[in-house]
Amino acid sequence: MDLKKYAPFIILGLLALLPLTGISTYMLHVLIIVIMWSVIGMAWNLLGGYCGQVSFGHAAFFGMGAYTAGLLYEKLGMSAWWGLPISVPVVTVFALVMGFIFLRLRGPFFALGTLAMGVILRITAENLTGFTGGDLGIMIRERTWVDKTWYFYIILILAAVTYYVIKKVVESKLGYYFVAIREDQDAAESLGIDTTLYKTIALCLSAVITGLAGAFYMNYMGYIDPKVVFALHDISVVTIMVVMVGGVATFSGPIIGALIMVLLAEVIRSIPKLGMAHHTFFGILLIVIIIFLPNGIAGDWPKLKKIFAKGKTA
Amino acid sequence: MTSPQLEVLLQTIIAGLLLGGLYALIGIGMTLIMGVMKIINLAHGELMMVAMYIAYVLYSSFHIDPYLSVFLAAPVLFLLGVLLQKYLITPVLRVDAIIPENQVILTVGIGMVLSNVAAIIFSSDYRSTPVDYSTKAWYLTDIWKGSPIELSLSMPWSVSFVFAVLITVALWFFLAKTDLGKSIRATAQDKDAATLMGVNVGFMRIVSFGLGSSLVGAAGCLFIPIYYLYPDLGGQFTLIAFVITILGGLGSTVGAIVGGLILGVFESLTATYIGMGWAPVGRFVIFVLALIFIPGGILSLFKRRR
């Protein structure tokens, strides 16, 4: 029991020591991407898994964070790292506006509203060529560090803080409100929970964390364009997949999911002929997971265990 | 308004109405699935893309006119819809999950697979069916010599529009007059009551998913003579279908027709007066405005007054 309680700290400690072991740059890169995706997954999980508001438009927040960082660099000549703190108010305001419009919608309609929002932002970024650079995107010409170690520590800290904040929120009264809204919005409302307020809180928190990951992405990759950061399939849907595969409404789910998804993507892309078909693999994986493990690997762990135990005895 | 300006405006509205007729067909397919199944089919545009590739292959290998391929693509899409519903969506409806929107996510997965498979088979190149009548048009001055303004009516657009109207009328007849159609409408209205009246709800769901797919498949075949085709085209049309259904009111066939026409005209106006690239944004502005001000759809405005 104790081991379970300390597991996050042990994992965090081991990860923090990893760059000292002389791990290859490529492995470090993959790890950074895994951690970044688990941050986005945790953010989505707060809104989708706990509060039950399935968003198909997290690319909107991700891209907004990335563009905040990129535009600060491009237009104001500031370091793109300022994007991390400054994206917080920008994304919050955006999430409030979005929440005002879309949170009155329920279930699938909220999902589609957010999906539309992601597409609107992509098209806007593509067309406002004077402001965003359009399809050419934004490129940071001088990188902060050539070495990836510091990027690794920054995203690791971001992930640790995200994990802590989300755990605290979910285990507080707020978290119970979220779950109540997910389970039955009318019942929650009749018990005196201001559902719109709490849904807005969940949305803003989720959006801000995703925006931070986006701002980090700008700094780390050094190049963004609308098709990359506002991508429907490669960002919004992969975000959902990270959580669905790992486990909806679990703390470890998004981390497991990010690990599986990123490694899978790397493996598929490294095989030359299969590289083009990676959406097919993702799509089939998504379909299989939804049909057989609807609560993800962490959520359906007891079920999985049973299947494996049966396999052994048989 | 001077006459050239008037000409542009009228021409834009005509183009918008013709586009709207096709949009309506896409929207009806979506609204039918939404009304009966209570789920949103996010693979709707991808199904249309599949039909367009069928028409493309028929044209490029056998020189079959895209308008004739409607009669082949629609049944194929019907079958595809039935299979998807039977083997993927129905099992998910039974699964107990934390997130209630599993079916919607499932359709996203289906759409991803379809568009990726199309990209693998046909590559991501833009395709079209260069039919010889594609640039033909009728001019107003040919009919009325002394007309003060000049308007033209593109032939493939008009033919597609007429086809769309015919299919819509046929569908209306099917839903309003036949037993099967009535059972589908009963399922959409009240699933439990329909079951009590002896309607096989599971069967109706399969039929309406197939029907919705074949409608959007027909729309795809009507689109290909006037549009170009690429594997990722589906997502855009899924959103169009969704905007139309919101605009027209959920599950309402008449609403989908009205919504389709409004969206067509609006998009045409944005493309002419603001710029081609902004037409999709105009689409979503309508969507957001509809959500805020008329959540029940256009038709609810008239109902309230009564």
Side-chain angles (χ1 to χ4, degrees), chain B residues 237-255:
Chain B
F237 282 96
T238 305
L239 286 169
I240 289 173
F242 182 65
V243 175
I244 294 168
T245 24
I246 290 288
L247 205 58
L250 302 170
S252 150
T253 318
V254 183

Side-chain angles (χ1 to χ4, degrees), chain A residues 12-254:
Chain A
L12 183 66
L14 286 176
L15 278 175
L17 289 175
L18 217 55
L20 304 177
T21 58
I23 183 173
S24 78
T25 317
Y26 172 69
M27 283 306 292
L28 205 57
H29 166 74
V30 171
L31 262 176
I32 290 172
I33 299 295
V34 168
I35 298 171
M36 188 190 85
W37 273 110
S38 52
V39 170
I40 303 170
M42 284 190 274
W44 190 91
N45 199 18
L46 181 72
L47 182 67
Y50 291 104
C51 201
Q53 308 301 309
V54 173
S55 153
F56 273 93
H58 261 50
F61 309 126
F62 183 80
M64 198 136 217
Y67 264 95
T68 307
L71 289 173
L72 282 175
Y73 167 81
E74 188 80 13
K75 297 286 164 194
L76 301 176
M78 292 159 80
S79 161
W81 287 110
W82 283 104
L84 284 167
I86 291 174
S87 75
V88 174
V90 172
V91 174
T92 309
V93 169
F94 175 67
L96 281 174
V97 173
M98 203 168 146
F100 173 74
I101 301 171
F102 293 122
L103 281 177
R104 61 181 76 208
L105 303 171
R106 287 199 182 181
F109 301 108
F110 174 78
L112 281 155
T114 52
L115 188 148
M117 206 65 227
V119 179
I120 293 178
L121 283 192
R122 194 197 76 222
I123 296 166
T124 311
E126 276 171 2
N127 281 293
L128 281 176
T129 37
F131 185 56
T132 59
D135 283 329
L136 292 176
I138 296 173
M139 183 145 147
I140 296 180
R141 282 168 293 275
E142 54 281 332
R143 305 294 303 278
T144 323
W145 301 289
V146 179
D147 188 38
K148 292 190 192 303
T149 316
W150 286 107
Y151 290 107
F152 176 78
Y153 282 120
I154 288 169
I155 193 69
L156 191 63
I157 291 167
L158 186 62
V161 171
T162 305
Y163 186 90
Y164 178 79
V165 168
I166 286 181
K167 199 171 162 67
K168 280 287 160 221
V169 166
V170 168
E171 285 172 353
S172 72
K173 213 169 168 182
L174 213 56
Y176 287 99
Y177 288 162
F178 289 166
V179 174
I181 292 171
R182 179 188 77 200
E183 292 300 322
D184 191 334
Q185 194 174 323
D186 296 317
E189 186 90 51
S190 67
L191 286 174
I193 298 172
D194 185 347
T195 52
T196 316
L197 175 71
Y198 290 106
K199 283 199 285 187
T200 311
I201 293 175
L203 178 69
C204 286
L205 206 57
S206 180
V208 163
I209 296 168
T210 313
L212 285 171
F216 170 81
Y217 182 86
M218 172 82 245
N219 280 290
Y220 177 61
M221 299 304 274
Y223 172 75
I224 53 168
D225 73 43
K227 284 202 174 53
V228 171
V229 292
F230 290 119
L232 172 62
H233 286 157
D234 285 322
I235 305 283
S236 293
V237 175
V238 171
T239 306
I240 298 172
M241 287 192 69
V242 160
V243 183
M244 294 293 292
V245 171
V248 177
T250 56
F251 292 120
S252 55

Side-chain angles (χ1 to χ4, degrees), chain B residues 194-213:
Chain B
T195 314
L196 290 174
M197 294 298 131
V199 173
N200 184 346
V201 169
F203 180 69
M204 291 310 145
R205 282 183 168 161
I206 291 174
V207 169
S208 42
F209 202 93
L211 204 57
S213 313

